[in-house]
Amino acid sequence: MIKVRSDEPEYAYLWDKETKEKNRYGKNIELTEEGDERRNKSLNINGDDGIGDNPNRNKQHGFFLNADNCIGCHACEAACSEKNDTPAHISFRSVGYVEGGTYPDYQRLNISMACNHCDDPVCLTGCPTRAYTKFTEYGAVLQDPDICFGCGYCTWVCPYNAPQLDPVKGEVSKCNMCVDRLEVGLKPACVSACLGNALDFGVIENIPEKRDQAIAEIPGFPTTDITNPNIRFQQKKQNHREMTRTDSMPLKYHRDDNEGKYKPVVDEKMGRAKHWNLRSLLTSHESAHVIFTLFTQATVGAFLMLILGSAMDLPGFALLSEYSIHISLVATIFILSTIGLYKLNMHLGKPHRFYRGFNNLRLSPVSREIAGVSMFYTGLLGYAFFALFDMPMLNIVADIFAYLAVISGPIGLYFMYKLYRIPARPFWDHLQTGTAFLGSMLSLGALIIAVVSLILLPLSTMAGLIQTLAIIITAGLFIESIGHIIHARDMQTIENEGAASYYRQTTQYGKSYRLRNGLLAFSLLISASIIYTGLSATSGLVLAGLLALAMIFMAAFGRSLFFVLVIPTTMPGAFFWKNDGFVDHARETGLAEAEQVGVVYERHHAFKVDELMQTIKENSLKDMFAHVLWIFGKKQ
């Protein structure tokens, strides 16, 4: 443990004596009961097996911010960064601000924020590697960067910017509540460094000396409903009716006189002009997710149709049973699925630790998605191999693999949908996510079969198959269209970050959004007409080619918009990497390359394939297989 200095000031020591039994969420502040085996365990800080003598050691602790006192000096940030030795682009604690009014009646409200060590930490339930643990000691939510494989899902689900993804190391880290200091009776480093006596720390619901207020929300702080955060505020100065953010987020906070709370509403700071912004749209950090989700949905849909189409005696699907056509379709589906999985895996901060994605099957939708998609891929791989041999015994084995893929594919897609239903990202937390994924599965899956069939089969024999595939494509496009219409209606009527995302959709990416909608309408019209007219001669093939191109571009634009538009229920980020506007500026000017300022976010994706293979060789596939067996055995 750390050594307490002889000249440690009095304000640096923990001060709690009496505590309450319940917090404002109705949960016990005492996290263990007498006799609980977890009560007197060491945290083994730096290998020290000592146990702190704090009588409140097993009570939930939390931060207290007197926002009236915070002067925005960033001493808390500096102390945190120095203690944790974080690089310039990582900040466990950061100070943002909102402002209101105009000169001479101008107000600035500073908000110092780190991890809130929530009662219901969504980072813990979302993490596929089980890198997070909520300890009974102080109620701290701690994260182990060595276990993390850098998927960044915890940064999506957290409403407070607490987990920090380091693009150089390829791992997440965050505030650890300074449990080493707590064990020796000292407050966290950020609290001890606060110049204005704005930050404090203690057992939750305890109000510090010379404070008389402990509220849970202030302007700019996201709703507490998602995670029940352990932070309390005092903010008694009268705020203006509207408080605005100074970062690039098109959000401001408007006081609801009925509830007395501030709610996020759209701030049209970018005007109403419509733009393309193609570069940021099509080359975003989430491009790997665009490819993975589209390719996986398309290949699951295509394989389901290929296997079940003949079994259900769908018109024209008997043509696909012919060996050369069937094998060509399976090979195409396999190649596309492989590309999708490769892009996803190489998107990880530590691609060679991909097998850790199965660690949290009990809680994480990411783990369940990975398991479902991996089983689908295993079934597809097994079927692709054994279907090469036209032997009765091997055909039975091929059928077993086929139905493994048929069952697990939809399961993987269901959890793919569930993992995007994130309350901290209202633009995604909507039924439209499901309609978009289902629509892509049907329309793109049928498109794969149609393209391969048109290449290999005479057009004159395909009337029934073309009509059936056109019906499926039309159904998929129609489902997606209805979802978009309902989504647009709902996003315009709500008062949260989803409305701000919709505003960006119609302005910053307005022309790209219109193109997506136009291509969707065009594809729907053409596919519907093919149902009645079919395809004939050269004109029919030209029409089919136009439909395929329109669907591909529509899917790419639509899914890219899905990722770049989302605005999380996040804290105001006025400085550096907490501000998306600064990120764009830094990339344009080259400032992002300066080591003392930050890093280019995409740098760690230069991870070479040979490095990946070397790491796999060093860790051995045998060890990975043993790890997976341990997960399914011991942890279940």
Side-chain angles (χ1 to χ4, degrees), residues 348-400:
L348 297 175
K350 300 175 183 175
H352 53 293
R353 304 295 187 195
F354 66 90
Y355 54 89
R356 291 178 178 171
F358 301 103
N359 281 10
N360 199 9
L361 289 170
R362 189 171 66 88
L363 297 175
S364 174
V366 182
S367 283
R368 295 172 182 179
E369 178 218 35
I370 293 172
V373 173
S374 297
M375 289 183 69
F376 166 76
Y377 187 75
T378 300
L380 175 61
L381 177 61
Y383 182 77
F385 177 76
F386 288 105
L388 292 172
F389 307 100
D390 190 14
M391 299 172 58
M393 192 64 185
L394 295 182
N395 287 341
I396 295 175
V397 178
D399 289 341
I400 293 173

Side-chain angles (χ1 to χ4, degrees), residues 39 82 312 354:
R39 280 187 78 85
E82 180 182 21
M312 297 171 63
F354 66 90

Side-chain angles (χ1 to χ4, degrees), residues 50-70:
I51 299 175
D53 57 3
N54 185 342
N56 297 317
R57 188 171 185 261
N58 292 103
K59 290 182 171 66
Q60 178 66 60
H61 285 58
F63 290 99
F64 183 96
L65 173 66
N66 184 351
D68 294 331
N69 281 24
C70 182

Side-chain angles (χ1 to χ4, degrees), residues 474 477 519-531 543 547:
T474 303
L477 295 173
L519 291 172
L520 179 55
F522 174 78
S523 300
L524 188 56
L525 179 64
I526 296 300
S527 63
S529 67
I530 291 175
I531 296 175
L543 191 64
L547 174 62

Side-chain angles (χ1 to χ4, degrees), residues 99-169:
E99 59 184 11
T102 56
Y103 178 84
D105 186 20
Y106 166 79
Q107 177 191 10
R108 170 168 161 170
L109 177 63
N110 298 304
I111 309 172
S112 176
M113 187 59 50
C115 177
N116 295 313
H117 302 275
C118 308
D119 283 353
D120 299 316
V122 288
C123 53
L124 185 152
T125 55
C127 176
T129 66
R130 294 182 68 177
Y132 288 84
T133 305
K134 184 169 178 66
F135 282 79
T136 60
E137 290 83 4
Y138 312 103
V141 177
L142 304 184
Q143 189 263 1
D144 188 342
D146 292 336
I147 296 176
C148 172
F149 67 177
C151 71
Y153 188 67
C154 56
T155 68
W156 286 6
V157 297
C158 175
Y160 311 112
N161 286 347
Q164 302 287 299
L165 177 59
D166 188 334
V168 177
K169 291 184 177 180

Side-chain angles (χ1 to χ4, degrees), residues 11 13-17 185 187 200-203 206-209:
Y11 59 76
Y13 288 90
L14 293 169
W15 46 268
D16 299 281
K17 293 179 175 63
K187 296 175 185 177
D200 214 324
F201 183 86
V203 177
N206 281 3
I207 300 178
E209 186 181 2

